[in-house]
């Protein structure tokens, strides 16, 4: 870090040690077979202890790191340290050792890098190229060794080329997706392009993993291409004159290549295109194929060369540009035939499009200045004190949206007459309102103000400046790494609007930093931690916390190693190599590792655990350790309560953290060199059993100290999590036993042809273990130096990742291309693993149920979506395989059936627990419930289909023994039936009972599966009703009367029969009454429409009358009381209305313009309107009859309609003619009465108000009084209307009004007769 020098270790004290002693932290002695490669007499001053030789500095560096860092534990001061990820492959170490034995400096012949897209690291050591996946554990790491031809590795003068002048690009032939981080997918076919920056020699390996396609193809530059160029002062420079005396005195060789990019050519196997730009503006294309390399100059003048004038201290030439090339979109589909790339020049960014084909064509799309006098350009020049601007490197993010440029600015402070260099980061993004295909437009804009990394740094020469490289895309988000040519890496990130720097600077015995990249995250489209490739110390990672907590403000110093606290002289370096075994080395880390005072300034404002949390956790650990040693709790509860240990719930609870630390402890005796051998030993099981015993002791401590009682009452989630840790630990132990069992079965089946280690490292379960372990290693860089299997069996609390990888990485384990036998075997392994894990948790919970808190609202961990998705992934593939595969015998299918049935059982239990928890928490659960039902039906229906197929084949195989066949099928279906009953799959329960034709079994299941709204009984009733098995349906009502009553509420055509059977005559009367008067109504479902069609369309008026008669009989049978009599009266009134409808329809049917259904039940209102629409006195009078047999409420509601009836009755006679006849003929009173009695008004008045008038409930006078003087006596006195008032509106009233009033008065001479009140179903 940017801090003062650290205190050097005491070398003399180490030199004075006896020859046979070693330091406490000395590394492990190498294996004998490795030591035998280097005789003792070839290494001067080699100690007799077997301490590693000087050519293995990685062990020296690791020895400086405390053991607490290797185990993943430690205080927060350890969080700012980089993490060791992995060692070089042994072949690389052997080559480095060979070079040292030849007295060749390793740093003079070593270069390397990291390919981000493929996660491959590479190193050139001597004339060999080593490529390996740095993500692979050391035990399974495979390194490809490629030989560089001697004619390529030497210059024309016979000298060896400097190994640092190499570009390498890897073309992944298997890359078919965009930006995927699938853990199980590794690069297994890749081409390699290697290009020398100086000689422009190109080497191409079509497929480095193939034995037949790994032969190299070479291409050397012609003499014309390597011609000597002239400097601006006219002097010639050779290819070896690269170094400059001061800034701007000259430039790097004008013909040196500065950048190389490559891409596959679609449609051409093992063919790629590589593009390179040189310092003189040329753009070169190399078309590489297994048959040769075609080199062609694509562009000779890619940019113009403006001269910047000035004194000798200024930049006088733009030689050295363009500096950088990069693809616009790093991730792409291999089928794409066109790609775009960016070129960084001294003042602008240029974009080109290249056609990826054998006849490659490049065209310029656009260019935009980033250095100019305009402030909006990006970098403003010609400012006071500004002498020169160097864009050094350019990178594009993974999404191709943000462009980051590293810029160095040479400035001079005129006040103090000192010069300095300012380093900055410029971030650009595409404008949203402009297309990128338009020329001469500003299509880029600043994403953020330019970020100054170091405001005033030491002046460096151009060689150092141009050696800087930029990397983007790691954590923290938005951070960048700057790699200098002398071997340092600096992480820059913006935190709270201020720049913070973290410098990865290992001691010289670790070598330089060769390259930096981003550790692929286990989740797609997420950033990973920074990873660094060193020259001698392997690969290291920089955790996000280290960058945030260890970052400091930019100092006024250089990005180079000069002035660093780790800088040493060459003599000191030689002494270190000579006495590597006895000298106590310094800490190999950032400079702030040993400078606690300085690093604290970078921790302000960072969110961390509170002091109270740390004290509580330390106290709990102390009390628990005392309990382990003495068995006493000693007021532990009071101490923990006073420390605030019970204030947090969930994952932050101190008891949860303590429990997690117990089950996630990494074993110190597991090392990466052991690899998969740990699985073949009992150490795994022993370690897990020790954890289980310690966790059980922790639960005993909670119980004895009464902490369990407190957690159970106030922090249920925390206690649930602690017990779930026990579940996962038990499940992990059983999973380990399953792995052993699988290995034993495989060893007996394959015989002795394979070793025990090979047997352990095969199978689907092993593959998933590797994927889960690798995912954990990627997400936690502290585990990168551990083996995948070790990480899996150690990180017990992250057992959910097993199911996460089953969901996301199953295609890496199970492939349709595999033979059916292998496919079935691997699927069964995964199914057994899932079932074993979840059922072990079930058993643990049942055995320790008294420990658990009340379960209301708490969902077990195996009910989480990630677990359900993982189990469903395996179940769906197994389901598809069971339904589609053919040619399997009966027993193989039965085995698959058993696996799918067990998997379905645990999956449905997980769904049931999740739904229950959501319901108890009053959360939305409809979507989850629908998913649960859908997958339940899909699984169980398919399983039962397999049962029926098995039954059919079994009957054939044991034909003639019917009893044995039924017993075999019943045995298979019994478990399936129990699962269906547990999860309410009524469809399967019904099908099983029907197929077995077992009514007793059906009745037993109906008794056992009673639930809300009838449960399974309701489903049975529905099936019987849909199949029109009414007799069987009503017979079941004898045993399930209440359930059938609930079901028949929707089916009144059968409900009354069931009510009569139950002697519920009053209810039966009501049901019959409603059924007889049911109106046709619109329905929203097909089922309801069919039901209404069945109930209503079949009922004629005569049948409705029969139902009313039955209703009357049932009402009479219910008993003689007031309520029963009212029901009988209402039924009789409705019978009269039905009879009226029959008479009305008979009269109206002959009318041609009436399209009426004689058998359709009409509402009283519709019936009255038909009477009003018809002609004749009889129809008008029947309207009053309909009103009379409805209810009082109906008459009040339809008063306007009643008025229309009176108006219709008044218009039936010619009252003006009546008046003229009475005058001319001189009618007497008797004649007047006789003539008026035939009028409609007289008949209506007598029907409604006369002595023989009969109405249901209140009479007509309560709705429409006859005379005006009766208004005050009426309850409807607020109405200003009567029959008399209506007649006064008649056109003949002025002439014959007296006759009209006389007619209605003659019809009404006595009080009306009233019936009992009651509601009318007709309404």
């Amino acid at each position: 870090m940017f801090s003062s020098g650290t205190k050097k270790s005491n070398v003399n004290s180490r030199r004075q040690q006896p020859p046979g002693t070693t330091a406490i932290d000395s590394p492990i002695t190498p294996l004998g077979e490795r030591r035998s490669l280097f005789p003792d007499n070839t290494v001067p001053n080699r100690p007799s202890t077997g301490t590693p030789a000087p050519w293995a500095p990685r062990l020296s560096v690791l020895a400086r790191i405390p053991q607490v860092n290797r185990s993943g534990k430690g205080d927060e001061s350890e969080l700012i340290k980089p993490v060791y990820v992995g060692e070089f492959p042994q072949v690389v170490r052997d080559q480095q050792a060979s070079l040292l034995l030849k007295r060749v400096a390793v740093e003079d012949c070593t270069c390397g890098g990291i390919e981000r897209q493929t996660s491959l690291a590479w190193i050139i050591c001597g004339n060999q190229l080593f490529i390996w996946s740095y993500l692979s554990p050391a035990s399974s790491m495979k390194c490809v060794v490629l030989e560089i031809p001697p004619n390529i590795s030497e210059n024309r003068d016979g000298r060896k080329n400097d190994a640092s002048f190499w570009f390498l690009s890897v073309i992944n032939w298997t890359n078919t997706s965009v930006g995927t981080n699938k853990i199980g997918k590794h690069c297994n076919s890749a081409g390699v392009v290697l290009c020398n920056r100086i000689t422009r020699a190109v080497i191409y390996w079509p497929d480095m993993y193939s034995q037949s396609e790994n032969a190299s193809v070479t291409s050397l530059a012609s003499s014309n291409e390597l011609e000597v160029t002239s400097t601006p002062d006219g002097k010639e420079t050779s290819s070896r004159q690269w170094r400059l005396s001061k800034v701007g005195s000259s430039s790097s060789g004008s013909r040196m290549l500065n950048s190389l990019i490559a891409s596959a050519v679609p449609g051409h196997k093992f063919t790629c295109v590589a593009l390179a730009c040189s310092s003189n503006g040329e753009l070169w294309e190399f078309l590489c194929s297994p048959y040769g390399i075609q080199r062609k100059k694509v562009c000779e003048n890619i940019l113009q060369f403006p001269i910047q004038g000035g004194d000798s201290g200024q930049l006088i030439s733009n030689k050295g540009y363009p500096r950088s090339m990069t693809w616009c979109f790093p991730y792409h589909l291999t089928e794409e035939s066109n790609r775009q790339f960016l070129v960084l020049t001294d003042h602008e960014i240029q974009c080109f499009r290249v056609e990826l084909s054998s006849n490659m064509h490049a065209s310029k799309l656009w260019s935009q200045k980033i250095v100019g006098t305009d402030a909006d350009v990006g970098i403003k020049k010609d400012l006071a004190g500004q002498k020169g601007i160097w864009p050094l490197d350019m990178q594009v993010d993974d999404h191709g949206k943000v462009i980051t440029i590293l810029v160095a600015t040479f400035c001079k402070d005129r006040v103090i007459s000192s010069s300095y260099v300012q380093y900055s980061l410029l971030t650009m993004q595409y404008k949203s309102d402009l297309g990128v295909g338009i020329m001469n437009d500003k299509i880029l804009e600043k994403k953020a103000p330019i970020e100054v990394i170091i405001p005033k740094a030491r002046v460096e020469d151009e060689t150092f400046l141009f050696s800087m490289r930029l990397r983007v895309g790691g954590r923290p988000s938005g951070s960048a790494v700057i790699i200098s040519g002398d071997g340092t890496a600096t992480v820059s990130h913006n935190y709270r609007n201020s720049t913070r720097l973290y410098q990865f600077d290992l001691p010289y015995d670790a070598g330089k930093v060769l390259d930096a990249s981003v550790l692929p995250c286990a989740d797609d489209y997420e950033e990973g931690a920074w990873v660094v490739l060193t020259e001698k110390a392997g690969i290291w990672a920089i955790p996000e916390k280290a960058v945030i907590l260890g970052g400091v403000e930019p100092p006024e110093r250089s990005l180079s190693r000069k002035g660093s606290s780790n800088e040493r002289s060459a003599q000191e370096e030689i002494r270190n190599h000579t006495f590597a075994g006895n000298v106590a080395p310094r800490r190999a880390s950032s400079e702030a590792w040993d400078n606690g005072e300085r690093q604290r300034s970078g921790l302000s404002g960072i969110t961390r655990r509170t002091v109270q949390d740390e004290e509580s956790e330390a106290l709990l650990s102390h009390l628990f350790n005392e309990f382990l040693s003495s068995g006493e709790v000693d007021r532990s509860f009071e101490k923990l309560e006073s420390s605030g240990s019970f204030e947090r719930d969930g994952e932050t609870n101190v008891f949860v953290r303590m429990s997690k630390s117990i089950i996630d402890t990494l074993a110190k005796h597991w090392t990466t060199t052991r690899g998969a051998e740990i699985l073949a030993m009992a150490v795994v099981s022993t370690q897990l059993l020790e954890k289980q015993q310690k966790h059980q002791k922790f639960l005993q401590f909670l119980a004895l100290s009464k902490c369990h009682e407190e957690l159970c009452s106030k922090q249920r989630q925390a206690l649930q999590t602690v017990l779930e840790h026990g579940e996962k630990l038990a499940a992990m132990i059983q999973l380990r036993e399953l792995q052993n069992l699988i290995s034993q079965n495989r060893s007996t089946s394959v015989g002795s042809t394979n070793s025990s280690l090979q047997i352990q490292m095969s199978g689907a379960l092993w593959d998933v273990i590797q994927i889960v372990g690798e995912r954990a290693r990627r997400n936690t860089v502290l585990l990168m130096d551990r083996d995948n299997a070790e990480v899996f069996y150690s990180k017990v609390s992250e057992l959910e990742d097993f199911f996460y990888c089953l969901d996301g990485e199953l295609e890496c384990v199970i492939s349709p291309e595999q033979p059916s036998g292998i496919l079935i075997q691997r699927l069964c392994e995964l199914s057994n693993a899932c079932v074993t894990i979840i059922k072990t948790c079930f058993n643990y919970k049942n055995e320790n149920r008294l420990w658990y808190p009340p379960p209301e609202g708490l969902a077990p961990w195996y009910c989480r979506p990630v677990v359900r998705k993982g189990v469903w992934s395996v179940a769906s593939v197994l389901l598809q395989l069971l339904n589609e595969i053919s040619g399997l015998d009966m027993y193989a299918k039965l085995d698959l059936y058993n696996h799918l049935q067990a998997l379905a059982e645990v999956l449905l239990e997980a769904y049931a627990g999740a739904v229950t928890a959501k319901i108890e928490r009053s959360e939305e659960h409809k979507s989850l419930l629908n998913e649960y039902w859908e997958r339940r039906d899909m699984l169980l229906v398919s399983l039962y289909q397999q049962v029926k197929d098995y039954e059919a084949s079994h009957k054939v195989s044991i034909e003639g023994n019917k009893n044995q066949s039924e017993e075999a099928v019943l045995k298979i279906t019994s478990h399936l039936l129990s699962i269906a009953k547990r999860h309410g799959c009524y469809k399967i329960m019904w099908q099983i009972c029907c197929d077995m034709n077992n009514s007793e079994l059906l009745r037993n299941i109906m008794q056992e599966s009673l639930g809300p709204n009838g449960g399974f009984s309701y489903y049975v009733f529905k099936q019987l009703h849909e199949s029109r098995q009414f007799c069987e349906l009503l017979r079941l009502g004898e045993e399930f009367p209440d359930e059938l009553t609930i079901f028949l509420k929707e089916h009144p055509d059968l409900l009354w029969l069931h009510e009569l059977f139950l002697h519920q005559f009053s209810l039966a009367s009501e049901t019959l009454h409603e059924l007889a008067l049911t109106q046709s109504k619109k329905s929203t479902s097909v089922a309801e429409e069919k039901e209404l069609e069945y109930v209503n369309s079949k009922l004629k008026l005569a049948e409705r009358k029969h139902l009313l008669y039955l209703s009357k009989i049932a009402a009479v049978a219910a008993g003689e009381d007031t309520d029963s009599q009212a029901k009988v009266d209402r039924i009789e009134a409705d019978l009269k209305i039905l009879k009226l409808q029959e008479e009305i329809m008979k009269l109206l049917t002959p009318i041609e313009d009436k399209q009426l259904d004689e058998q359709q039940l009409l509402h009283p209102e519709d019936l009255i309107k038909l009477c009003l629409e018809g002609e004749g006195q009889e129809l008008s009078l029947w309207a009053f009859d309909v009103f009379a047999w409805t209810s009082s409420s109906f008459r009040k509601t339809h008063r306007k309609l009643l008025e229309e009836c009176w108006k219709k009755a008044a218009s039936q006679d010619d009252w003006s003619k009546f008046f003229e006849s009475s005058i001319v003929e001189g009618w007497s009173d008797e004649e007047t009465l006789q003539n008026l009695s035939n009028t409609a008004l007289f008949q209506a008045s007598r029907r409604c108000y006369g002595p023989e008038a009969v109405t249901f409930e209140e009479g007509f006078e309560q709705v429409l009084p006859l005379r005006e003087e009766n208004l005050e006596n009426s309850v409807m006195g607020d109405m200003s209307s009567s029959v008399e008032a209506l007649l006064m509106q008649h056109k003949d009233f002025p002439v014959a009004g007296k006759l009209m009033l006389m007619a209605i008065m003659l019809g009404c001479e006595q009080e009306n007769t009233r019936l009992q009140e009651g509601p009318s179903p007709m309404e």
Side-chain angles (χ1 to χ4, degrees), residues 153-172:
S153 60
E154 294 181 357
N155 284 324
R156 290 184 173 183
D157 55 5
R159 295 193 178 188
K160 290 283 185 179
N161 276 319
D162 192 334
S164 62
F165 292 112
W166 287 102
F167 285 132
L168 183 140
S169 183
V170 177
I171 300 92
N172 186 6

Side-chain angles (χ1 to χ4, degrees), residues 133 135-137 182-186 520 522 768-780 784 787-789 791-792:
S133 174
L135 295 179
S136 301
K182 289 291 185 181
I183 300 174
K185 292 184 178 180
H186 298 284
V768 176
I769 289 174
Q770 292 297 305
I771 293 174
V772 177
E774 184 173 343
R775 169 181 166 81
R777 290 171 60 242
R778 289 194 190 182
N779 289 337
T780 308
M784 284 301 296
D787 185 81
N788 289 337
V791 172
F792 173 79

Side-chain angles (χ1 to χ4, degrees), residues 320-348:
Y321 286 95
R323 290 306 312 164
S324 177
M325 295 173 60
T326 182
W327 296 113
C328 291
F329 302 97
Y331 294 97
H332 77 294
L333 295 174
T334 55
E335 294 81 7
E336 293 179 356
S337 59
N338 293 283
R339 291 191 73 177
Q340 298 178 14
F341 64 92
L342 301 176
V343 177
L344 177 66
T345 73
D346 61 336
H347 66 285
E348 66 181 1

Side-chain angles (χ1 to χ4, degrees), residues 681-836:
M681 302 188 307
V683 64
V684 180
S685 300
T686 303
Q687 177 74 13
L688 292 174
L689 290 174
E690 290 175 358
K691 288 183 178 182
Q692 189 178 43
Q693 294 174 359
K694 189 172 183 180
H695 192 267
Q696 193 65 30
K697 287 286 187 180
F698 182 65
L699 293 179
Q700 296 175 6
F701 168 76
L702 295 181
L704 294 176
S705 63
K706 298 184 179 180
C707 294
H708 177 272
E709 182 179 351
E710 181 73 11
L711 293 173
C712 189
S713 60
K714 296 182 179 180
Q715 293 175 328
R716 295 188 303 126
Q717 183 62 60
L719 181 58
Q720 174 90 358
T721 305
V722 171
L723 292 168
E724 286 178 352
H725 289 163
E727 294 177 7
K728 294 178 180 179
L729 193 53
M732 192 67 81
I733 294 174
Q734 293 301 316
L735 192 63
R736 168 61 186 154
E737 297 302 321
L738 176 63
Q739 175 69 19
N740 286 337
L741 181 62
I742 292 174
S743 301
Q744 292 174 5
N745 294 338
R746 186 175 292 111
S747 62
T748 56
S749 62
V750 301
S752 59
T753 56
N754 295 331
S755 65
S756 61
L757 182 59
Q758 290 175 334
I759 295 174
Q760 288 280 353
M761 297 176 59
S762 60
L765 180 56
W766 168 261
D767 293 342
V768 176
I769 289 174
Q770 292 297 305
I771 293 174
V772 177
E774 184 173 343
R775 169 181 166 81
R777 290 171 60 242
R778 289 194 190 182
N779 289 337
T780 308
V781 294
L782 290 171
L783 303 174
M784 284 301 296
D785 61 336
R786 299 278 180 154
D787 185 81
N788 289 337
E790 175 187 357
V791 172
F792 173 79
Y793 281 112
S794 297
K795 306 298 284 186
V796 179
S797 66
E798 298 176 3
L799 188 55
E800 293 96 333
D801 285 351
F802 181 86
F803 299 94
Y804 177 88
C805 293
L806 284 179
D807 178 41
E809 310 287 343
L810 188 61
E811 65 272 14
C812 301
V813 182
I814 302 297
S815 175
E817 290 77 17
Q818 295 171 339
S820 59
I822 300 298
L823 190 62
I824 292 174
Q825 180 183 4
R826 294 175 71 85
L827 273 174
C828 291
E829 282 187 23
L830 299 181
S831 174
N832 280 337
C834 295
V835 173
T836 299

Side-chain angles (χ1 to χ4, degrees), residues 9 51 71 100 178 238 406 548 598 664 669 712 748 772 820 918 1013 1055 1123 1191 1248 1282:
S9 58
T51 303
S71 62
L100 282 176
V178 179
S238 65
L406 175 63
I548 295 177
R598 182 66 182 271
D664 285 351
H669 50 275
C712 189
T748 56
V772 177
S820 59
K918 279 185 172 289
N1013 300 324
L1055 177 61
D1123 187 52
S1191 63
C1248 298
S1282 63

